[in-house]
Each structure stands twice: as C-alpha cells, then as structure tokens.
Amino acid sequence: MAAMRVDGTPTRTIWPLANADAVEIIDQTALPHAYRVLRLARLEEVAHAICSMQVRGAPLIGVTATYGLALAMVRGDDDAALLAAVDTLAATRPTAVNLRWALARMQRCLLPLAPSVRAEVAWQEAARIADEDVEQCRQIGRHGLQLLRSASGARDRLQIMTHCNAGWLATVDYGTALAPVYAAFDAGIDVHVWVSETRPRNQGLLTAWELAQHGVPHTVIADNAAGLLLARGDIDAVIVGADRIAANGDVANKIGTYLKALAARANGLPFYVALPSPTIDWRVQDGLREIPIEERGAEEVTHVQGRDPEGRVVQVRITPDATGARNPAFDVTPADLVTGLITERGIAPASAAGLAAMFPDRVGG
Amino acid sequence: MAAMRVDGTPTRTIWPLANADAVEIIDQTALPHAYRVLRLARLEEVAHAICSMQVRGAPLIGVTATYGLALAMVRGDDDAALLAAVDTLAATRPTAVNLRWALARMQRCLLPLAPSVRAEVAWQEAARIADEDVEQCRQIGRHGLQLLRSASGARDRLQIMTHCNAGWLATVDYGTALAPVYAAFDAGIDVHVWVSETRPRNQGLLTAWELAQHGVPHTVIADNAAGLLLARGDIDAVIVGADRIAANGDVANKIGTYLKALAARANGLPFYVALPSPTIDWRVQDGLREIPIEERGAEEVTHVQGRDPEGRVVQVRITPDATGARNPAFDVTPADLVTGLITERGIAPASAAGLAAMFPDRVGG
C-alpha cells in the first residue's frame, strides 16, 4: 500500500518539478494537524528543511539531500561549489547515516564529470536513489510480511508495537517498519498497531496520521506505556526503523527505542528493526561507542505543538519557566536485543556475521 | 527541607480549617502553571479532587481520603453513612493502596464509637495519619541520605534520576523519592536531578516546580531519554516512589517506571523505591498478577496542557481526530529489578523476606 494524499491520490514524500528548478515536499512539521506542500528551490531551503524536520526519517533525509545537491548544481558547477554543497547538506543532521551515504554517492558520481553536465546527471542520480529507496522499502514490506504471517495466528488480531515514524513519511514511499504492516493489511491480516507518541517531537502522531489515511487500526499510547503492554502480553512483536546500524548490528534510532527493546527482551517478545541497506554504516564497528547522538534544542521538550480549542495550531509551554531541558534525539540499542534486521534482501541476524553474510558485496565498504 | 508556597512560607499539601468544616489543598492540576488553593467542604468534593488528580500521589491520596471521611461524619453519623462514605472514597482510584489502608484504619477507629463522637475523633485520626505521613517521609529522607552519601563521590556532582512526582506534593510533606534528595541538598551535597516529564499527565513538571522552589538543580527530559542517559553513564542512581508494593516487593508505580528499572539493571545502576509502610499491600503476594492497573481517560494522551504564547493555560489536542488512545496509569516493576526499598525504618531488600524482616509486626496484616 503506497503513500497517499489526504484526497486519496497517490504521492511520494518528495518529488522534483518538471523543469528541474525545485522539489516539493510534504511539510512534516505541519502534520498531523495540516497537510501542506512546500516548494524547495535552493540548497539553503533544503538544508533548512532537513534541520527543522520538515522532512525527516533517515531514508527521506538522504534522498532530500541528493535533490538539494541537484539544486545546487544548477547554480554553480565548479568542484569547490559541489564540495561546499555536500558539506552544507552533510552538516544538517549527525546521526542518520543515509544522509552521508547519499551525499558520498552523489559526489562520487558527479565529481569526475565535466561541470557542464553535472546538473543533469545530478537530477538523474537523485531520481535513481529515490526510486531505489522505494524499491528497497517495498522489499522490506515483502520480507517483513513473511515474519508477520508467522507471528500471526496466536490470536485473532496481530498486535504490533512501533516507535516514532518509520512509515512512508520517513522514506520516499512505503516506509521501513510500517512497510510490513501495510503489506499485512493489504494481505487481509487483521493487524492493529500500538503507536508510541514519541516525545518530544511526537512523530508517533505522524504514524497515527499515516495509518488513519489507510484505514489501518491503531491506538496511540504514551511512550511510558510500552513496558506494561509488553509485560502483560498485549503485543506480538515490536518493529521500528533505524537511523544508523553499525556493522556489528547495534541500532541507533529515535530516542526511546532502547527502552522498548529492553522491555521486549525482558518479556520474550521479538524486536525487529526494518532498514534499507544505506542505513548500515560499515565503518562503525561499535554502535554504542561510535555513533554520534544528535542533541536537539531544549524547546522541543519544554514546548508541545497542538490545536487549541479554536482549532489553531499553537506551541504551548509545558515546563516551568525556571526549568531547563536536555534533548538527545537518538539512542543506541545493542545488537543482542534485536531479534532480526528486516532488509531489502531478507531478514539478517543483528550481528557482524549476520550483516556480512547478507551483504557480502558491501561489508567493509 | 519542607514544602513551601510560592511566597516561600512553609506549607503542607493539605490542611484542615480551624472550625473543622473544610480542608484546603493545593490544586495540582493547575501546577506548574499556577499556584492555586482549593477548599473542599463536602465528601463529593474530596472524591472529585482525588479522581481528577487535584490531589495525587499515593500518600497524599490516603490522607485526603481520611479528611474526606471526617467531612462526611459532620453531615451524617450512622453506620450506614460511614460505610457509604468509605465506599465512595475507596472507589476514587484503584491502584494506590494507601487510600484503602487509610480508609480501613479510619473505619476501624470510628465504627465502634457512638455516632455522636465520630466526627471529632475522625478529625483527630485524620490529623494523626497526616502527621505520621510527614514523619515517615522525614525518616525516608534520613535513610535515603545515607544511600546517597555512599553513591556520591564517584564524581563531583551526584546525578539522580526520578520519574513522576514523588516529592512533597505527592505526600503531606517532604516526599518519598525526593525526601533523600532534599536531605542531600540540605546536607550540602552537590546533587542534580534528571526529571522525566512523565507523560501523559506530566507529573515530572510538578517535580521540576518543587525542585525549582527549593533551588535544587534539575533538568527535564522526555521519558524516552532515560535509557540513553543510563547507558552512557550520566546517572548515579534512580529513585522513584510507589503506589503499591506487594508483599513480595513488586512495585506498582506511575506508568514508565518499569522501563527505567529495566534500563538501570541493564547498565548496572541502582534503582531505589522510596515508600512509607502504608504503601505496602501485605495481602498481595504477586504484584504483577494481582495489583489492579488504573486505566484513565484517553484525553490525557490525546491532549496536553500548557501555556499558549499569551500565557493562557490551554489544553491542546496533539493527536489526529480519527485516532484513539489508551491510557494505563501504572505499571509493575518486578522486585528483582529493585535494588532496595527506602522505608521509614530503613532500607529493605525488595523481597518477601526483606519486607517481613523490616516489618515483622505488619507482615500478613
């Protein structure tokens, strides 16, 4: 089941305009309260869109950066401009490695070319990366569906817990963690999703919005409720996405993921991570020690966005004025808590050997 | 360090008026945005104050109920009225056992008496229970301070994590989990508290407000951030309160407590639970199976209270309209994840044997 607009027409989360002078995105800072499309015509607008989380989700961040580079190529095409644009985009967010992977691929593709042809090739390569992301996510859905079929059957309704948003909004289409859920729903499996709201940015509410668009039954919970639900047998499996997977299988993902993994393990329940291979950082051997954790602004914790009684979208302050906040955006789940990695090639064990066996052509790369 | 008003004068969280026709409370649904005192003159107002969380925290709920019973005695004093008032108050909230303990004690005290003297004795007994709560919390602070002194020293600043509000707002004075923190601060220990916001009701912000009143350094985090902070060595100890402790040491406490206990254990860090003995339910042998978990309204998850840009306190809706929510208010942390129970008599191991040894006069009661 692919992404759709509020009017039910198919969409992607990012698309180039026909005359190659801009891309359009769905403004994810407006969701779930409003569906708004933003046009990005300049490198700086793309960098801002990534920093401010107008686009978010590791795969979509990567693809958005490639289009940003294509936009930069229109304006200046010498080597210095190319490398400066890569640096600008790479600096937007530190944890999701798809960003670095996509920019490195674009640089490898463009730098050997004559400056005069770079713009055209950049748009082609960005589109190729976007198409690959769609296909990878589709395959993740296909492989994940097999897992869900085997998890299903213990009770009438399959109960999945997820965290953050790893649906089509986090990718170009289909999603990572939600791709198997959509595939199961399409296959007629009675599936219900427990959606962790994912403070502080409440990306779980993007998941709720996505699932509501498609009619997939779901229920929002406070992040704190995950342990109880797992302990009392309300959940069959946890599936989350990832921002970066170390070569040893450690998983950097949205803050709070680690707590769910601990609770799943403590209760003998499967904890799956769904990811396209560009999320694997083959150069990081130990995720816990080496993956940089983005620290975002305190105002994401001290303030919450919602609709006031008149329906206006407002930011309200929830903390006392005298109180400060810290806001680490990701945590690292050790590989030994992960039941399996759902990739476009199939289910890999979360270990150095498991990843190397699934991606022998990539390991060390 | 005892409770104080915003003007710095000492207070308790509940106090009877001199002519015994009402009690006053601090309205905790207005905090941390406004400090407001409410007068409760009727049983129904007291029951509403407990249900709606104008008062909250297991010890304070118990004491509030005793005053509610005293107010009921003023109006009608036959046995049926007494028992009906007990039932009304007992039905307000299911998980915190202090409520049931306090009402049973009041009933045992009042039922044998002539109806004509019940009102006067009820006020005396309620005041006695309130005073005992204060003294129990003071002793918890004293015993907890010894723990914190031994935890301190590994680094310059002692780093404590807590969850929900188990400070003086949750009791009559001093608090449970925060009593040792206040004692440490008073003793000149450089202590800093990581305050988990505690969605959905954000009682962590009551903790932030309390700590700010007393000048105790603290930082608010999203509940999701607890695992990362514990994993990367930012925390020396976790201390939480409790709503009910089973005779085997299992701990029912605010939803999300269990996740912190799992993360503390996974990282070899101490996880303490602070409680006065009325929080122990000697009749429950297995907390995981027997303690009832209150399910509160979905609107606590779908809506958040805060101050809008004009400073008005508003409820904003954060979820899509089509999305429902579930709201279990407590979880149960198995005894084997608890490093120790900080009681008014000292630190007890979280086990049936540990509790029985600390309270040989109560076990089975």
Side-chain angles (χ1 to χ4, degrees), chain B residues 275-355:
Chain B
L275 65 138
S277 54
T279 302
I280 306 167
D281 188 343
W282 296 101
R283 291 165 309 179
V284 166
Q285 302 305 316
D286 179 335
L288 288 166
R289 292 171 190 275
E290 298 174 46
I291 296 177
I293 299 297
E294 179 179 10
E295 175 96 20
R296 294 185 59 87
E299 71 284 356
E300 294 184 354
V301 176
T302 59
H303 289 70
V304 174
Q305 178 174 281
R307 281 163 291 144
D308 73 7
E310 284 76 48
R312 290 174 299 225
V313 175
V314 292
Q315 300 269 346
V316 295
R317 184 176 179 104
I318 59 170
T319 51
D321 288 328
T323 291
R326 285 285 296 279
N327 185 17
F330 302 93
D331 59 26
V332 178
T333 298
D336 63 13
L337 295 178
V338 178
T339 309
L341 302 171
I342 310 175
T343 77
E344 71 270 23
R345 294 192 187 174
I347 316 300
S351 65
L355 280 168

Side-chain angles (χ1 to χ4, degrees), chain A residues 279-355:
Chain A
T279 302
I280 305 166
D281 187 344
W282 295 102
R283 291 164 308 177
V284 167
Q285 303 305 316
D286 179 336
L288 287 167
R289 294 171 189 274
E290 298 173 46
I291 296 177
I293 300 297
E294 179 179 10
E295 175 96 20
R296 294 185 59 87
E299 72 283 357
E300 293 184 355
V301 177
T302 59
H303 289 69
V304 173
Q305 178 174 280
R307 281 163 291 144
D308 73 8
E310 284 77 48
R312 291 174 299 224
V313 176
V314 292
Q315 299 269 344
V316 295
R317 184 175 179 103
I318 59 168
T319 52
D321 288 329
T323 291
R326 286 284 296 279
N327 185 17
F330 303 93
D331 59 25
V332 178
T333 298
D336 63 13
L337 295 177
V338 178
T339 309
L341 302 170
I342 310 174
T343 77
E344 71 269 23
R345 293 192 188 173
I347 317 299
S351 65
L355 280 168

Side-chain angles (χ1 to χ4, degrees), chain B residues 173-190:
Chain B
D173 203 352
Y174 295 106
T176 54
L178 292 191
V181 171
Y182 288 131
F185 183 77
D186 278 359
I189 294 174
D190 184 11

Side-chain angles (χ1 to χ4, degrees), chain B:
Chain B
M1 180 170 279
M4 63 171 80
R5 294 183 176 79
V6 286
D7 63 6
T9 57
T11 190
R12 285 182 167 188
T13 50
I14 187 165
W15 54 93
L17 297 193
N19 51 356
D21 62 356
V23 293
E24 288 187 333
I25 60 164
I26 299 167
D27 179 2
Q28 301 194 25
T29 63
L31 288 173
H33 308 296
Y35 181 91
R36 192 163 66 197
V37 170
L38 289 181
R39 184 168 299 184
L40 309 176
R42 299 187 306 119
L43 170 68
E44 294 72 20
E45 290 171 346
V46 172
H48 172 74
I50 297 172
C51 283
S52 66
M53 297 173 61
Q54 290 171 333
V55 290
R56 37 144 303 280
L60 178 56
I61 288 170
V63 170
T64 304
T66 68
Y67 281 116
L69 204 58
L71 283 166
M73 290 304 92
V74 172
R75 298 193 302 156
D77 358 274
D78 66 346
D79 289 2
L82 169 60
L83 296 173
V86 167
D87 286 349
T88 297
L89 290 162
T92 49
R93 296 194 70 187
T95 303
V97 78
N98 309 56
L99 174 65
R100 252 151 282 275
W101 169 87
L103 289 169
R105 175 165 157 181
M106 291 292 281
Q107 183 179 318
R108 274 198 312 273
C109 167
L110 298 176
L111 206 52
L113 301 180
S116 60
V117 301
R118 281 180 184 159
E120 187 180 346
V121 173
W123 284 100
Q124 290 165 355
E125 188 69 2
R128 195 172 295 122
I129 291 175
D131 289 347
E132 287 175 14
D133 183 69
V134 173
E135 180 58 19
Q136 285 160 350
C137 289
R138 216 177 55 80
Q139 294 298 333
I140 287 169
R142 193 169 68 83
H143 295 299
L145 173 59
Q146 302 313 314
L147 277 185
L148 295 192
R149 281 194 197 281
S150 62
S152 176
R155 62 179 117 207
D156 289 343
R157 175 167 258 196
L158 179 64
Q159 300 284 354
I160 300 296
M161 177 180 283
T162 190
H163 187 61
C164 195
N165 172 263
W168 60 260
L169 283 167
T171 64
V172 179
D173 203 352
Y174 295 106
T176 54
L178 292 191
V181 171
Y182 288 131
F185 183 77
D186 278 359
I189 294 174
D190 184 11
V191 59
H192 171 267
V193 183
W194 294 90
V195 178
S196 194
E197 65 176 344
T198 316
R199 279 279 289 154
R201 286 289 293 247
N202 286 347
Q203 293 97 330
L205 308 184
L206 302 178
T207 294
W209 181 85
E210 259 197 41
L211 294 172
Q213 293 294 107
H214 289 270
V216 181
H218 63 284
T219 303
V220 171
I221 53 168
D223 303 305
N224 282 324
L228 177 74
L229 295 184
L230 289 161
R232 71 182 183 191
D234 295 348
I235 310 294
D236 295 309
V238 183
I239 313 180
V240 301
D243 291 83
R244 191 186 306 207
I245 307 268
N248 71 346
D250 289 347
V251 175
N253 190 47
K254 180 55 52 195
I255 192 83
T257 299
Y258 171 47
L259 294 170
K260 288 184 168 62
L262 286 168
R265 171 57 51 90
N267 293 285
L269 292 165
F271 181 89
Y272 295 110
V273 180
L275 65 138
S277 54
T279 302
I280 306 167
D281 188 343
W282 296 101
R283 291 165 309 179
V284 166
Q285 302 305 316
D286 179 335
L288 288 166
R289 292 171 190 275
E290 298 174 46
I291 296 177
I293 299 297
E294 179 179 10
E295 175 96 20
R296 294 185 59 87
E299 71 284 356
E300 294 184 354
V301 176
T302 59
H303 289 70
V304 174
Q305 178 174 281
R307 281 163 291 144
D308 73 7
E310 284 76 48
R312 290 174 299 225
V313 175
V314 292
Q315 300 269 346
V316 295
R317 184 176 179 104
I318 59 170
T319 51
D321 288 328
T323 291
R326 285 285 296 279
N327 185 17
F330 302 93
D331 59 26
V332 178
T333 298
D336 63 13
L337 295 178
V338 178
T339 309
L341 302 171
I342 310 175
T343 77
E344 71 270 23
R345 294 192 187 174
I347 316 300
S351 65
L355 280 168
M358 184 67 79
F359 297 96
D361 50 326
R362 307 275 183 82
V363 59

Side-chain angles (χ1 to χ4, degrees), chain A residues 244-278:
Chain A
R244 190 187 307 207
I245 307 267
N248 72 345
D250 289 346
V251 175
N253 190 46
K254 180 56 52 197
I255 192 82
T257 300
Y258 170 48
L259 294 170
K260 288 184 169 61
L262 286 168
R265 171 57 53 89
N267 293 285
L269 292 165
F271 181 89
Y272 294 109
V273 180
L275 65 138
S277 54

